[in-house]
Amino acid sequence: MLRTKIKEILKNGQAEIGSSLCVKGWVRTKRGNKNVSFIHLNDGSTIHNLQIVVDHAILSEETLKEATTGACIGVKGKLVASQGSEQAVELMAESIEIIGPADPEKYPLQPKKHSLEFLREIAHLRPRTSTISAVLRIRHAMAFAIHQFFHQKGFIYLHTPIITGSDAEGAGAMFRVTTLDLANVPKNPDGSVDYSQDFFGRSTNLTVSGQLEGETGALALGEIYTFGPTFRAENSNTARHLAEFWMVEPEMAFYELEDNMNLAEEFLQYLIRYALENCSDDLEFLAKRESEEEKQKPAHERHELSLLERLKFCTENKFQRLTYTEAIEILENSKPAKQGKFKFPVKWGIDLQSEHERYLVEKEFKKPVILTHYPKEIKAFYMKLNEDEKTVRAMDVLFPGIGEIIGGSQREDSYDKLLARIRELKLPEAELWWYLELRKFGSAPHSGFGLGFERLIQFVTGMSNIRDVIPFPRTPKNAEF
Ligand code: 4AD
Ligand code: MG
């Protein structure tokens, strides 16, 4: 008999009462008495469990001995209307197969509340919890929606390399890729590493962004996007940073900053709406979980809006747009600035800290904010210089609870200006020859941005730590699994 997924069975009208079915999954709980046992079975297709009813007149208690929490079992039986109030249907078992037992003395996931910190230590088993499985299903839905959004708009999915020689962000926080023997590194006469003997005959690293290669696509195919893993070796142990994270980077010819902002706003609203329309079971579970967690917290640490309200709020309100300079004025005149409450003092030219971003979003405007025209000193070399020659056509999208979710800009399309900036910053001009040539041959105004995929998932699921929205988080001193 073919296996039916629990999601299909529970979907209204999908499986007929009285039909014979086979299900396979993992036992969440087993309870009962001498006459009857109830097993809650989950197969990962949905947040909901299927209740299996075992009448001991048909199947002895002995057959269920190994059907303990965590065990993998297969059940054949008849679908019946449930007598209990918690579910509409249940499966009356006719036979049970123990596919993979789980020693109850050793299985670490018991049917009780485990902390998220503990679950990170058993990342190989945590997808079997309701919370992490809900997050992973939503993560899948968001990845699918990203491709759908761009595909419908005619963007081309471009696969940019993961191993690269360029440092797109100029931040210097990169992981090196090498096959050199670390115990015996070949050296040049001047003592520097002789990369000509390395695998690629040059120094290489894991990419921090697919943007530079993405631009080559935009200036040929018109509108492209990359969606892949990116790597940053910054030593940031925060709830919003990973050393390996996924980034979505569209890049478009003939888009100016304004068009770029419009696309970013439409994109985020589309994704959040997609989640609301397609992930309601998982979102409702996570919303309930959050509100229960928050009961333990002091009032000022609770969200003003529930998870679902926060999501709807972002789809129903236009994002607030303002310049960096305007934002600095607001921050300078804010209560926390006047009372000396910001850890990092505010003045024109500073790189905004997450406390500043969150003040703007959560206190001042109470909606997503797009900040533009940042000082050129705090942004990457490729951003288009404004007429004032002080600021660049950058845009950061700031979200409640998250801070920066998107970073992007219009790109410098003038060969001379880009070259001057590269020299000013003493960037490796020779290595950027191909990037410069894009401005020499058929240059065009173009723009793009990068969405941190995990930060999006954090916002949509309400999970407060980024380590809980990726299957296997990579952070400083942590690459287990
Ligand atoms: O602002 P960033 O550094 O921008 C770029 O890399 C550009 N090349 C993007 C572009 O214009 N194509 O990173 C973009 C986004 C951030 O807004 C943030 O959401 C996310 O990537 N991000 C991180 N997410 C998790 N962990 C980290 N360490 C991250 N660093 C950036
Ligand atoms: Mg940024």
Side-chain angles (χ1 to χ4, degrees):
M1 201 190 285
L2 231 53
R3 158 171 104 99
T4 308
K5 288 196 191 176
I6 291 174
K7 182 180 181 177
E8 300 306 318
I9 297 174
L10 298 182
K11 223 192 267 169
N12 281 341
Q14 285 278 321
E16 240 172 276
I17 298 284
S19 57
S20 288
L21 296 172
C22 166
V23 294
K24 290 177 183 174
W26 292 266
V27 174
R28 286 288 172 86
T29 60
K30 179 177 73 170
R31 60 190 173 81
N33 54 40
K34 274 225 278 304
N35 305 321
V36 60
S37 290
F38 299 97
I39 291 172
H40 281 171
L41 194 71
N42 190 282
D43 68 0
S45 62
T46 158
I47 189 85
H48 302 296
N49 302 324
L50 180 66
Q51 172 149 287
I52 313 289
V53 185
V54 187
D55 179 346
H56 294 316
I58 301 169
L59 290 173
S60 70
E61 250 185 297
E62 185 60 25
T63 52
L64 291 189
K65 224 181 90 206
E66 288 187 311
T68 53
T69 297
C72 181
I73 66 171
V75 184
K76 286 181 185 154
K78 250 192 190 68
L79 195 69
V80 299
S82 176
Q83 321 218 320
S85 58
E86 285 183 25
Q87 59 277 316
V89 294
E90 56 198 21
L91 195 69
M92 268 313 234
E94 286 161 2
S95 71
I96 290 191
E97 178 196 357
I98 307 293
I99 299 171
D103 183 345
E105 300 290 313
K106 298 194 178 130
Y107 186 62
L109 279 174
Q110 290 308 315
K112 61 161 196 170
K113 231 180 134 36
H114 293 291
S115 74
L116 293 168
E117 288 80 8
F118 169 71
L119 293 180
R120 279 175 221 145
E121 291 168 16
I122 50 165
H124 59 309
L125 295 173
R126 69 177 183 165
R128 297 199 199 167
T129 62
S130 298
T131 302
I132 301 297
S133 69
V135 168
L136 293 179
R137 278 186 297 270
I138 291 172
R139 187 179 163 106
H140 160 76
M142 290 294 89
F144 177 77
I146 284 165
H147 288 298
Q148 180 156 287
F149 176 84
F150 287 123
H151 178 70
Q152 283 171 355
K153 286 190 167 292
F155 282 54
I156 304 295
Y157 180 25
L158 187 79
H159 296 101
T160 52
I162 287 172
I163 299 175
T164 146
S166 57
D167 173 8
E169 293 306 296
M174 296 183 297
F175 291 100
R176 220 177 262 297
V177 174
T178 180
T179 52
L180 291 178
D181 177 1
L182 290 185
N184 189 14
V185 177
K187 296 275 175 70
N188 294 314
D190 69 356
S192 60
V193 177
D194 179 8
Y195 285 110
S196 69
Q197 296 189 41
D198 204 349
F199 187 90
F200 296 106
R202 56 165 298 158
S203 85
T204 48
N205 45 267
L206 294 177
T207 187
V208 295
S209 157
Q211 177 198 323
L212 302 196
E213 291 89 352
E215 286 183 47
T216 69
L219 293 172
L221 300 161
E223 294 168 326
I224 65 96
Y225 68 106
T226 77
F227 181 11
T230 44
F231 307 86
R232 300 205 180 167
E234 341 163 60
N235 198 5
S236 342
N237 256 309
T238 79
R240 297 174 310 115
H241 286 90
L242 291 166
E244 175 180 291
F245 63 99
W246 287 64
M247 192 162 28
V248 189
E249 296 181 273
E251 191 70 34
M252 301 75 62
F254 318 118
Y255 276 51
E256 310 227 345
L257 185 63
E258 177 90 12
D259 310 304
N260 204 22
M261 285 195 274
N262 292 344
L263 183 74
E265 181 164 344
E266 184 191 344
F267 180 46
L268 286 168
Q269 289 188 328
Y270 176 91
L271 295 177
I272 296 166
R273 207 172 295 122
Y274 187 95
L276 284 165
E277 285 168 8
N278 295 279
C279 307
S280 51
D281 283 7
D282 288 323
L283 283 178
E284 273 160 31
F285 171 84
L286 291 170
K288 199 162 143 231
R289 177 188 177 278
E290 181 186 270
S291 72
E292 270 159 23
E293 293 271 293
E294 292 201 336
K295 282 184 198 144
Q296 332 279 328
K297 289 189 182 168
H300 72 273
E301 282 180 26
R302 291 183 208 149
H303 284 101
E304 280 173 36
L305 301 176
S306 73
L307 176 61
L308 295 178
E309 285 168 337
R310 297 202 299 278
L311 299 185
K312 286 190 191 130
F313 194 75
C314 284
T315 61
E316 286 163 8
N317 287 288
K318 290 221 72 72
F319 297 2
Q320 181 74 40
R321 299 178 183 189
L322 69 159
T323 64
Y324 170 91
T325 303
E326 289 165 336
I328 291 289
E329 263 166 41
I330 291 172
L331 288 167
E332 279 175 335
N333 293 315
S334 70
K335 237 196 206 161
K338 291 194 165 145
Q339 298 173 343
K341 291 247 169 79
F342 284 136
K343 225 171 105 199
F344 298 87
V346 180
K347 70 169 201 290
W348 200 94
I350 62 154
D351 205 353
L352 294 182
Q353 300 294 321
S354 124
E355 57 176 349
H356 307 132
E357 297 175 341
R358 293 185 61 170
Y359 176 85
L360 292 170
V361 175
E362 290 159 35
K363 297 280 184 283
E364 178 71 21
F365 295 110
K366 296 189 186 293
K367 58 174 149 171
V369 167
I370 310 183
L371 282 189
T372 60
H373 299 76
Y374 282 77
K376 66 176 180 191
E377 287 78 15
I378 58 172
K379 288 293 180 190
F381 74 98
Y382 51 69
M383 295 192 182
K384 187 172 175 68
L385 194 62
N386 280 312
E387 290 73 38
D388 63 12
E389 302 212 335
K390 281 201 203 100
T391 60
V392 285
R393 267 177 229 178
M395 57 165 224
D396 276 9
V397 182
L398 313 179
F399 255 42
I402 303 285
E404 179 191 334
I405 196 164
I406 278 181
S409 75
Q410 184 169 343
R411 317 308 187 190
E412 185 56 77
D413 54 336
S414 146
Y415 181 85
D416 293 338
K417 283 188 186 162
L418 185 63
L419 184 62
R421 189 71 182 136
I422 287 173
R423 288 187 175 159
E424 203 177 350
L425 293 171
K426 301 198 169 60
L427 296 176
E429 183 182 327
E431 282 177 25
L432 287 165
W433 68 273
W434 56 274
Y435 189 69
L436 278 159
E437 275 201 356
L438 294 177
R439 278 75 180 164
K440 212 189 252 173
F441 306 127
S443 186
H446 62 289
S447 302
F449 60 80
L451 166 68
F453 186 55
E454 282 75 21
R455 293 202 186 161
L456 169 77
I457 307 304
Q458 270 192 285
F459 180 72
V460 172
T461 60
M463 299 300 284
S464 48
N465 197 309
I466 198 164
R467 294 158 205 223
D468 300 323
V469 301
I470 186 165
F472 299 103
R474 299 287 177 253
T475 50
K477 300 275 176 288
N478 175 25
E480 183 88 46
F481 306 100

